[in-house]
Amino acid sequence: RGDDFESSLLSLEKLDRASPDLWPEQLPGVAEFAASCKNPITNSPPKWMAALETEDIEMLKELGSLTTANMMEKVKGLQNLAYQLGLEESREMTRGKFLNVLERPKK
C-alpha cells in the first residue's frame, strides 16, 4: 500500500526551467554568482578582490572566523562608535556655528 501512495505522488511532467518568465530569479545576482562559481578555478583572484590590500584581506578573514555572538558584539561596537562620532560631529558643528566658522563672507 505504501508503494501505491508513493507512486501516486510521482509526477512525470517535464518543467522547462529555461524560461525567465516562468522561473524568475528570486535574488538578483544569484544566477551570475552561481555561474562564476562553476568556472574552472584560476590562480587570479576574483574581480572584487583586486582592489583589496593585504590589511583588508586579513580583516575579512578575521570577520569570517567570528562566531555569531562575536559578530553581534562587533556590530554593536561599530554602532556605538558611529553614534559617538555623530555626537562629536554635532558638537563640532555647533561650535563652528557659534564661532561663525561656517558663515559665508559678506561682499
Side-chain angles (χ1 to χ4, degrees), residues 26 37 46 52 74 78 87 100:
Q26 299 265 331
C37 290
L52 296 180
K74 189 80 164 173
L78 289 172
L87 289 177
N100 293 324

Side-chain angles (χ1 to χ4, degrees), residues 8-104:
S8 72
L9 296 176
L10 183 64
S11 172
L12 300 175
E13 183 181 2
K14 300 288 183 206
L15 299 176
D16 179 19
R17 292 188 175 264
S19 171
D21 295 331
L22 291 175
W23 303 96
E25 192 173 10
Q26 299 265 331
L27 299 170
V30 171
E32 184 181 312
F33 176 75
S36 72
C37 290
K38 290 180 184 177
N39 292 340
I41 297 173
T42 60
N43 289 337
S44 62
K47 286 183 241 174
W48 61 267
M49 282 189 71
L52 296 180
E53 297 177 6
T54 308
E55 186 178 312
D56 300 326
I57 294 171
E58 290 301 317
M59 181 176 284
L60 282 174
K61 288 178 183 175
E62 176 189 334
L63 291 173
S65 67
L66 293 177
T67 64
T68 304
N70 290 345
M71 181 63 79
M72 291 303 294
E73 284 299 316
K74 189 80 164 173
V75 169
K76 286 178 186 176
L78 289 172
Q79 288 174 332
N80 289 338
L81 179 62
Y83 179 76
Q84 293 298 325
L85 286 173
L87 289 177
E88 187 178 331
E89 180 181 17
S90 176
R91 280 193 301 268
E92 291 299 320
M93 291 296 288
T94 303
R95 185 172 169 231
K97 182 179 174 184
F98 287 134
L99 294 173
N100 293 324
V101 172
L102 302 175
E103 267 190 25
R104 292 189 176 142

